[in-house]
Amino acid sequence: MTRADRLMLLDTASLYFRAFYGVPDKVTAPDGSPINAARGLLDIIAKLVTLYEPTHVIACWDDDWRPQWRVDLIPSYKTHRVVEVVVSGPDVEEIPDPLEAQIPLIRETLAAIGIPIIGVAEHEADDVIGTLATTATMPVDIVTGDRDLFQLVDDARDVRVIYTARGMSNLEIVTDATVVAKYGVLPSQYADFATMRGDASDGLPGVAGVGEKTAATLLQTHVDLDGIRAAAEAGEGMSAGVRAKILAASAYLDVAPTVVAVATALPISAPDIPLRVLDPAEVDAASTLAEKWNLGGSMTRAVAAVSKAALPSE
């Protein structure tokens, strides 16, 4: 029986950072080079493909982890993670040297197991994910540790998040009901919720004095940020204190929604490249790469998982 099509979108940087910190750095290549992130990512992919049985997998990439157009709107956006400002291109992100050294190998291992990489200039992986999830013609699983992507969850279109924040042994499937239970808002309201709440890890200040509970209550009453701001201007539907906080944050609220919302209309589409059984030459190439870099059983497991997922279900 042919397995129903399902697209898995990987927030690749989120996963290779998790792999880097989850696999001991004593795991090295024969020449002593670090390979813990590459090995860990292969094991993560093998587990995900085995558990969730996607027919298509795409590694979404940060071609620009801190796009200038977002910085122009909110200068503090991810500023604490910048180690070098680059005038003519993406700023240099704070990445441990042993991890940065593995990124070319990570790209090579993804190619070896037949997983395409998609990035878009001046955009983050989140934006690639947002566009591919929105335009997909099949059910979608988004794999990430970034709760900002909860804004894409949509039961009606069968778009869900496989949330990795609690570790690969505690994966959580995030649906409409999950978001409502956790935050008291619908996924379609999540970006407005996150705008008001703010996020120190992204350098987003939020609305001073408005936390998750107040943000959720405002959205339950006024539906969206436009409704909340209109009510504040009219002096209706909220306490005087909350109204003052919303009005005081007017300049921030003019620009923050554009920063927080992921792009959903980039000029890309998911390539129709399903997972497939690797041919003998490809298996040999993957084995050679694994031997060169001491990827060991991680490559073997990834190749086996991808090949099994490509076979008709029993």
Side-chain angles (χ1 to χ4, degrees):
M1 184 174 66
T2 302
R3 184 178 290 114
D5 283 348
R6 177 171 286 274
L7 172 62
M8 177 173 282
L9 301 174
L10 306 179
D11 182 1
T12 316
S14 169
L15 296 179
Y16 66 59
F17 266 94
R18 175 167 295 281
F20 176 75
Y21 288 109
V23 178
D25 58 9
K26 64 183 180 182
V27 178
T28 61
D31 66 357
S33 300
I35 48 92
N36 56 333
R39 281 187 64 160
L41 182 61
L42 285 169
D43 281 329
I44 286 172
I45 290 171
K47 178 170 186 173
L48 291 168
V49 168
T50 299
L51 277 177
Y52 300 107
E53 299 186 325
T55 55
H56 298 67
V57 179
I58 296 173
C60 301
W61 205 263
D62 283 319
D63 273 16
D64 190 336
W65 68 279
R66 186 176 181 252
Q68 187 60 45
W69 57 271
R70 283 192 165 108
V71 177
D72 289 344
L73 294 172
I74 298 183
S76 62
Y77 183 65
K78 295 186 177 180
T79 189
H80 59 293
R81 287 156 53 183
V82 176
V83 293
E84 181 184 348
V85 175
V86 179
V87 175
S88 60
D91 294 333
V92 178
E93 183 180 10
E94 183 179 11
I95 300 176
D97 290 343
L99 172 55
E100 188 169 18
Q102 295 178 65
I103 291 176
L105 175 59
I106 286 169
R107 294 182 67 99
E108 197 171 353
T109 59
L110 290 168
I113 60 176
I115 293 179
I117 297 170
I118 297 182
V120 176
E122 300 179 355
H123 286 83
E124 301 173 55
D126 285 8
D127 301 311
V128 175
I129 291 170
T131 296
L132 296 180
T134 300
T135 59
T137 57
M138 63 184 77
V140 178
D141 286 335
I142 298 165
V143 185
T144 184
D146 184 355
R147 58 185 178 171
D148 285 344
L149 291 173
F150 291 175
Q151 65 188 271
L152 297 171
V153 170
D154 186 347
D155 284 3
R157 297 188 59 250
D158 201 359
V159 177
R160 60 187 188 173
V161 165
I162 299 171
Y163 193 46
T164 65
R166 294 188 300 168
M168 292 304 298
S169 297
N170 293 287
L171 296 171
E172 181 180 12
I173 300 295
V174 178
T175 62
D176 286 10
T178 312
V179 178
V180 171
K182 279 179 175 287
Y183 303 108
V185 299
L186 295 167
S188 59
Q189 297 172 304
Y190 189 85
D192 285 347
F193 172 80
T195 295
M196 287 189 285
R197 177 196 61 203
D199 189 340
S201 68
D202 280 341
L204 296 173
V207 176
V210 173
E212 291 193 351
K213 185 175 181 180
T214 300
T217 299
L218 288 169
L219 286 165
Q220 290 162 10
T221 304
H222 303 290
V223 182
D224 58 21
L225 194 50
D226 287 342
I228 292 168
R229 298 186 72 184
E233 291 286 350
E236 299 172 349
M238 64 189 71
S239 69
V242 171
R243 175 177 183 261
K245 291 168 184 175
I246 296 295
L247 294 177
S250 181
Y252 166 76
L253 293 175
D254 284 343
V255 297
T258 302
V259 175
V260 174
V262 299
T264 58
L266 298 179
I268 53 172
S269 59
D272 189 15
I273 304 175
L275 296 176
R276 58 184 179 80
V277 178
L278 302 184
D279 65 35
E282 291 169 323
V283 172
D284 286 346
S287 298
T288 299
L289 182 66
E291 184 175 354
K292 176 182 177 181
W293 290 100
N294 189 29
L295 299 176
S298 298
M299 178 64 85
T300 303
R301 286 186 289 273
V303 169
V306 166
S307 295
K308 183 177 180 182
L311 295 171
S313 57
E314 298 178 358

